[in-house]
Structure formats: C-alpha cells, structure tokens
Amino acid sequence: MHEPWFWREDSMTAGAVRGALAPVSWAYEQAQSLRWRMTSPYCSDAAIICIGNATLGGVGKTPTALAVHALLAPIAGPIYFLSRGHGGREAGPILVSDTHAAIDVGDEPLLLAGAAPTYIARRRVAGAQEAEKNGASVIIMDDGYQNPTIKKDVSLLLVDDRDTAPEGPIFPAGPYREKLIAAAQRADAICQIGHSSLEDIIGPGISRISANVAIGAEMAKSRPLVAFCGIGRPEKFFHSLLEAGGDIAARVAFPDHHAYTVRELEDLHALAIRHNAQLITTEKDFVRLPIESRANVKTLPIRITFSESDKMRDIITARLDASGKNWRRDKSDKIQDHHAPLIAKTAPARGQAAPGRDGLDQSNVALPQRRSNRKVTPGHWVEYALTRTAFALFKVLGVERASALAGGFTRFVGPLIRPVSKRAEDNMRHVFPDWSEEKIKATVRDVWENLGRTAAEYPHLSKFNPLAEESRVTVHVSNAAEIRRLQGDPSVLISGHFANWEVMPLVLHAEGIDYAVIYRPVNNPLVDELIIKLRGDIMSRRMIPKGYDGARDAMDQLKAGRCVAMLADQKLNSGVSIPLLGKPAMTPSAAARLAIRFGVPVIPSSIVRRKGARFDVYMREPIEFTPSGHTGKDVQTLTIKINEAIGREIEANPGQWLWFHRRWPKQDVAESVAAHRRKQT
C-alpha cells in the first residue's frame, strides 16, 4: 500500500481527516491491548529474537535481521529466520527453498534464505515449532513486534527520522501500529537507523544503538537510471540513489510487495531505452520480477551496519544468556577468558600437539601425496639435489646468516634475470603509475631479497615458533579475531605472499587452532614431497592441494568445525574479475564461496619482515559482510572486500610481496607500461 496523503501532511484538511478516523484508531488500539492481555504466549525452546518497528511500512527490518545474524553466527548454534511471508500466497509453515518464488513466500524470506534456513508462517507459533524440530537454537523473527503469541527473549525496536510522535497517530488515522512510547517500553534495545530525535521523545532509560545504511554506490553511478520499486516507502529508495550520486532520469513507484507482470517490465525497459538509461530497483523487488524479465535490471545493494557492533552483540547475548536457553554453539572445550594472553608461554615439545579444541593430535592424519600429474624427469632430480644441498648449507649457517647471505645474493643477482624482473616492474608500473623508475627498481630489489631470505629460512621454520622464549615472531591480534579464536569457531583465514608466508600457518598451529591449509603443489614432484614433509613436522598435517578435489576437502573441513587457511592473492586464468590495487585482475573466489556457503567469517592476516629473520604477524578484524541472498552477487562483493584487504597490505609493504606472478591481464599491463614510459619521457 502507499501511505495516505493525510498521514504526515500538516494541514487543516489532513487534520480533519485524521480526526474523523480517530474513533476507528481508538478501537484498533483497544483491540490490540485486549489481544495482548488475553494471549498466553508460546515459550519456545529456541532463543527468540524479534526485530520490528512501531510503524507500517519499511524501516529496514530485513537488512537488520541479516546484520544480527552476522553478529551471532560465529557463536550461536543453528540460526533460523521466521517471517510471516507477507505478499506470498502460502500460509505455511514452509521452509523456503530455491524452488519458491516471491509469489509463493514473499520477497523478504527469499533474501533471508540466502543467509540461513527460513520458515514462513502466518501463524508464527507454528513456524517456530517447525524450526525447533529442525534443530534451531536461535530464531530471528523478521517483524512480529506487535504479535503476542510468542515470548521474545530479545526485542529490538527499529526507528528512523520519521518516528517523531511518541503518542501516535494510530492506524488508520496515522502510520503507527501502536504508540511509539509503548513499543519502546518492551524493547531491549532501540536501533536508530539514520538520524533520529528519539532521545528527546522517549528519554534516556533504554539502550540505543545507531545503525548506518551502507549503499552500493558504484552501482548507482554507472549511467543515467530509471528507478522503480514496490516498497512501503519508495521515496527512501530514490533518496538513497541520489545520495549515492545516481542520476535518476525517471522514477516509478508501485504498491508495496507488488507482483510485477511481464507487460510492466516491458514498459519499464522501453522507458529505459527512451532515456538511454539503466533500470535499477531494490533487491526485494528484484526477486519479485518475472525471471524472463530480469535481464539488464540492476539492484542497489543496501546493508545495515551497527556503529557499535560489539555493544549490540553484548546486549543480545546478555539477554539470551539470561533466558537460560541453550543457544550457544556446542563446543568440546571450555571457552577461555577473553582477557587471557594471546599465546601460551609453554610450547609443546616436538611431536606433541599444541593446545587447542581437540588437542590437535594429528598423528593419524596422513600427509598428502606429492604431485602426481607430472612425470619425474632428470631435470627434476638435478633441481632436487641442488635444493637438498642448499637446505643443508643453510642449516649449517644458522637462520640469521643463511637469511642474510641468500637475501644479499638474490638482491644482486635477481634483477639481472630480466624476464622475471621485468614482469614485476611492469606490474608496478600498471598499479602505481605515479612511481618513479628509481622507486620501481628499488622495490624490485627488495622483492628479490625477501624471496632469497624466504628460501633460506625453509630449513629453519621450526625456529619461528611464537611460543619460544626468544621468539622471532610477534603476534598482533584484534579483539574480534581473538574472541573467535578463543571460542574455537571455524573461519576462512586468508593471507598473501607477504614476507615469509610460511610463518602464518606456524602461528596458527602454535595457537592451537585446528585448521587445514590449501596449498599449490610445487612443479617439481620431488621438491614438492620434500616441502610437504618439512611442513608436516611443524604445522598442520591437514594440507589440501588446490583443485576440484581440494575444494570438496575444504568443505569437509569446515563441516567438521575446522578453519581453512589459504593464500588468496594468486593468479587464476578463471575466477572473477575483481580490482586489485585498483586494476581488474582474475581473482580466485574460493574464500568467498566457502565463507558464504557455511556462514563463517573471513579473517585476513599478514606477515611483515621487521629485521632480518624476524617477523610481525597481524590477525586483522573479520571482514564485515552481510549476505544479500544472491549468491553470485555476494561472492563478488565479498571477493572485492578480500582483494581490498590484500591490497592494503601490499601498499603498506610493497617490497615484501611477491610481484613476479602475472597477476593482471597482459594487455592491460602493456598499455599501462606504455603510458608510464610516455609520462617519464
């Protein structure tokens, strides 16, 4: 429905209409009050979180529900969404699947189902009972704030800049389902979306969390737009486009939850052609479009982010804990104090497991076989013999002297290997067009030195244990990442070819994190076997070779509750084209796909070489991401964020990243190199 004109208009005529409807509003309010008094609410075994508002129409309940899910997913047991399925023809209870359309279950449930199992039910109690039968520990209700049939453990009230009347007016004289001040009294927290003068209205006694609307601005700026939507407040969508810098050539508003026809989409496409514009709508509207009419229709991604996410998580978890319900994820170990030291001071003896979720006893874990898709040649034997000889020499020299000697050698000789050095130089010219030739040459020398040091440090990897008294590794962990580690949650851990990239899995193993690592086998099968055995003695024996079978193995590891670690900066001939350092690059999407499929966080990390063979390891904040329900778009969005994280680490220490891969398309690099040379001359 569209809002009646008299709801918010400040005129004598509008006031007269509201006055005429006041008796009906009074009767509506009394009926609600009677229903609350007469209803005995159902007490679910699952923890119930209700997200609602006091007004009719959209405020952002669905994106807020997704944001709350993202906060709780790392620590909660199975989370289910529960929706009325407004706009759908099914009464439920029904578990939403990819075979359903918006006409069946409504639009919001389709978006929610992309993040977690979702039930729709006109009778909320029946939906909650079905979710319980399927093992739900937490049920997040999208709407239902005025529904008294289920006892809520946490009630979150959403308000925005138009919620300014604490006493109404109540429907049908106004937009309020109930008096705002009455709704606030039942709230465990009030989530203020955008600007609000709520504190002046309600007073200071209720917890408040500010929330921001994050908009996919790049989509809005692509070209002139024909914007259309069928939501409770279409002007919010049009305003969001303008805020994002969009040029709206035409706008079309349909009723809330409108079921689009093919003819309507044909008219919209014709309108876009007349304006030479791009059709754009909301994600909720997109799932209601006829499938055959979705081509060339873009969506504007809108997400809710909490300004104080830790505070919001604390409020919710405190209320859930107070409910006495078993809502947290089951763990085989005791959760440690969050203020405990990051690294224990007693290291395990060689061959013993580091402390962790299950003791990390991997004695029965078989190491992967060496590379089998390449026949061993005489050249492989020669290369293997030279590698063994070099490792033996480096072992005798000791870690510091070996690292310095090899680094100095490759710093001098490496730049003379022109095909490889030129590739690194051209990559830098491509992504850093303002760099001088002197800076590029100096950085390439740094890269060669770091590579030589890394090779010489292989025989000494056991000395990079952060538990050692004279540790060569200092670990820096953000609070969020530390909490996730202490609680033993599965995660996708990403890093890149920074400094000595072998140090990161050593740190994970020493911390007692149960993980599997995805690796690229060495081209030489004999050297590959040597490296596998070396790693297996000092870090996780769960090593997954890249490839189709490796992808299935990685999924099995996450299902088993383990973390999966990988280097996410490698070049692919396939994958998705995602900017890295501002330039399109074919990028592996495995990390994003795994995280989205299993609902686990992506935690970036990096290694920085400080002096000689000493390192700082940084475990960054988990990447903030809320699924939209569109897998393809979600994979692209999360992969963009992963590349942004990797790009920041490269920019911070460009001489410690491995620039020798063909990371960007050859033609793009060639054009940048030509432009760079013209600029230099």
Side-chain angles (χ1 to χ4, degrees):
M1 60 173 285
H2 289 304
E3 281 194 357
W5 62 272
F6 58 83
W7 273 6
R8 300 185 188 273
E9 186 174 306
D10 189 16
S11 67
M12 290 183 62
T13 305
V17 174
R18 288 195 295 269
L21 291 172
V24 183
S25 296
W26 179 86
Y28 178 86
E29 184 180 10
Q30 295 307 307
Q32 269 198 331
S33 177
L34 180 63
R35 186 188 184 201
W36 276 98
R37 290 196 301 269
M38 298 293 291
T39 300
S40 178
Y42 169 73
C43 294
S44 172
D45 290 334
I48 303 293
I49 301 171
C50 181
I51 297 169
N53 60 323
T55 57
L56 295 163
V59 177
K61 295 184 290 292
T62 299
T64 303
L66 291 168
V68 170
H69 171 270
L71 283 180
L72 296 181
I75 59 176
I79 300 176
Y80 280 61
F81 289 112
L82 176 60
S83 170
R84 187 180 184 277
H86 190 75
R89 59 192 176 190
E90 297 290 350
I94 292 175
L95 182 64
V96 178
S97 73
D98 55 7
T99 63
H100 289 121
I103 194 172
D104 301 314
V105 297
D107 45 27
E108 289 106 338
L110 292 177
L111 299 177
L112 295 171
T118 302
Y119 273 94
I120 62 111
R122 303 274 172 86
R123 292 181 58 251
R124 301 302 210 299
V125 171
Q129 290 171 335
E130 286 299 312
E132 288 174 43
K133 291 177 185 177
N134 280 275
S137 296
V138 177
I139 297 174
I140 300 177
M141 294 176 61
D142 181 3
D143 209 358
Y145 198 87
Q146 287 74 31
N147 188 315
T149 61
I150 297 181
K151 184 179 184 300
K152 289 97 172 178
D153 299 298
V154 180
S155 293
L156 301 179
L157 178 66
L158 308 188
V159 299
D160 65 6
D161 56 352
R162 302 207 306 179
D163 289 318
T164 58
E167 298 290 341
I170 304 298
F171 177 83
Y176 287 89
R177 309 183 196 197
E178 62 176 319
K179 291 179 179 178
L180 180 58
I181 194 165
Q185 289 171 354
R186 300 198 309 276
D188 295 295
I190 294 176
C191 184
Q192 299 177 208
I193 299 177
H195 301 290
S196 173
S197 57
L198 187 67
E199 186 166 351
D200 300 331
I201 298 168
I202 294 178
I206 302 173
S207 296
R208 293 171 180 78
I209 301 291
S210 296
N212 302 310
V213 179
I215 301 170
E218 290 305 312
M219 185 64 70
K221 297 177 182 177
S222 56
R223 51 191 283 203
L225 303 169
V226 168
F228 70 99
C229 64
I231 57 177
R233 291 173 57 185
E235 71 277 7
K236 285 187 69 175
F237 171 61
F238 301 138
H239 180 69
S240 296
L241 282 172
L242 293 173
E243 266 195 338
D247 176 17
I248 301 180
R251 60 186 74 186
V252 182
F254 294 89
D256 195 13
H257 298 283
H258 179 65
Y260 293 92
T261 65
V262 173
R263 177 61 184 272
E264 287 170 336
L265 266 295
E266 289 174 351
D267 292 341
L268 288 169
H269 280 290
L271 181 62
I273 291 171
R274 287 202 301 272
H275 288 280
N276 189 26
Q278 169 68 59
L279 279 177
I280 190 166
T281 190
T282 71
E283 292 175 307
K284 286 174 59 176
D285 287 277
F286 187 83
V287 299
R288 297 199 305 274
L289 303 182
I291 294 176
E292 62 269 29
S293 303
R294 293 179 181 178
N296 300 318
V297 178
K298 303 295 185 183
T299 62
L300 181 70
I302 295 178
R303 306 288 178 267
I304 293 293
T305 59
F306 301 114
S307 59
E308 298 174 277
S309 57
D310 289 341
K311 180 180 176 182
M312 175 62 88
R313 186 189 296 111
D314 290 344
I315 291 171
I316 295 173
T317 56
R319 293 293 301 156
L320 294 183
D321 287 339
S323 72
K325 295 178 179 179
N326 185 22
W327 66 275
R328 289 185 181 269
R329 178 177 296 173
D330 290 335
K331 303 186 187 307
S332 59
D333 61 329
K334 183 179 179 181
I335 297 177
Q336 302 174 38
D337 178 7
H338 290 171
H339 298 285
L342 173 64
I343 301 290
K345 289 302 180 183
T346 304
R350 183 180 178 87
Q352 291 182 340
R357 268 180 272 168
D358 55 5
L360 296 189
D361 181 7
Q362 297 184 351
S363 57
N364 61 343
V365 177
L367 291 174
Q369 298 296 311
R370 73 185 189 190
R371 189 167 195 151
S372 59
N373 62 345
R374 294 199 178 190
K375 184 179 179 181
V376 177
T377 66
H380 287 148
W381 280 106
V382 172
E383 185 180 10
Y384 173 70
L386 291 174
T387 302
R388 290 296 299 263
T389 302
F391 277 14
L393 175 61
F394 295 148
K395 191 78 171 178
V396 171
L397 288 173
V399 60
E400 280 294 349
R401 282 184 293 180
S403 178
L405 179 64
F409 177 77
T410 53
R411 184 180 184 86
F412 175 75
V413 174
L416 303 178
I417 307 175
R418 289 309 301 157
V420 180
S421 295
K422 182 179 182 301
R423 186 184 306 146
E425 293 167 5
D426 288 349
N427 284 338
M428 294 176 198
R429 294 182 183 110
H430 181 51
V431 298
F432 297 132
D434 295 331
W435 276 19
S436 66
E437 284 298 305
E438 291 76 13
K439 185 171 183 178
I440 290 173
K441 299 288 187 183
T443 304
V444 169
R445 288 194 294 271
D446 291 342
V447 174
W448 274 113
E449 178 181 342
N450 182 73
L451 182 60
R453 285 181 174 274
T454 299
E457 288 158 1
Y458 262 95
H460 302 281
L461 286 179
S462 61
K463 296 182 180 178
F464 297 108
N465 189 332
L467 301 177
E469 288 295 328
E470 297 293 331
S471 178
R472 294 179 172 274
V473 177
T474 303
V475 183
H476 309 268
V477 180
S478 66
N479 288 334
E482 181 179 352
I483 290 172
R484 295 183 193 282
R485 182 196 67 80
L486 291 170
Q487 293 176 334
D489 294 321
S491 306
V492 174
L493 306 170
I494 64 160
S495 189
H497 288 83
F498 307 124
N500 187 333
W501 50 89
E502 299 286 354
V503 171
M504 180 56 67
L506 282 168
V507 169
L508 299 178
H509 192 68
E511 287 196 56
I513 296 178
D514 195 3
Y515 74 99
V517 61
I518 297 176
Y519 75 101
R520 182 186 181 277
V522 178
N523 291 337
N524 184 329
L526 300 173
V527 177
D528 187 42
E529 184 176 25
L530 175 65
I531 299 297
I532 288 171
K533 290 180 178 178
L534 190 154
R535 291 169 174 160
D537 285 341
I538 54 177
M539 57 183 76
S540 177
R541 295 172 65 87
R542 292 189 174 95
M543 291 179 257
I544 305 173
K546 289 176 63 177
Y548 177 74
D549 290 337
R552 291 190 301 178
D553 195 0
M555 289 189 284
D556 290 341
Q557 299 299 329
L558 286 170
K559 288 178 185 177
R562 300 186 183 95
C563 297
V564 171
M566 67 182 74
L567 298 179
D569 62 343
Q570 293 178 329
K571 180 250 184 184
L572 282 184
N573 293 323
S574 57
V576 289
S577 180
I578 299 294
L580 175 63
L581 294 173
K583 303 292 184 179
M586 295 307 291
T587 302
S589 60
R593 291 185 182 279
L594 288 171
I596 291 168
R597 176 162 183 169
F598 292 94
V600 300
V602 177
I603 300 180
S605 59
S606 68
I607 308 100
V608 177
R609 187 184 295 276
R610 286 304 178 200
K611 183 179 180 182
R614 297 183 181 276
F615 302 91
D616 281 347
V617 172
Y618 295 90
M619 299 290 287
R620 306 296 188 186
E621 291 276 355
I623 291 176
E624 292 188 5
F625 172 74
T626 303
S628 69
H630 299 292
T631 302
K633 292 182 180 179
D634 286 344
V635 168
Q636 185 172 27
T637 300
L638 185 51
T639 306
I640 288 172
K641 290 177 176 288
I642 289 171
N643 267 12
E644 288 173 347
I646 290 173
R648 287 191 292 270
E649 305 296 348
I650 296 171
E651 289 178 314
N653 295 282
Q656 296 188 23
W657 187 60
L658 199 63
W659 287 87
F660 300 132
H661 293 137
R662 293 191 186 277
R663 197 62 187 83
W664 294 270
K666 291 174 64 175
Q667 184 61 36
D668 292 356
V669 173
E671 291 174 0
S672 295
V673 169
H676 188 274
R677 285 174 177 164
R678 287 195 298 270
K679 184 177 179 180
Q680 293 294 316
T681 57

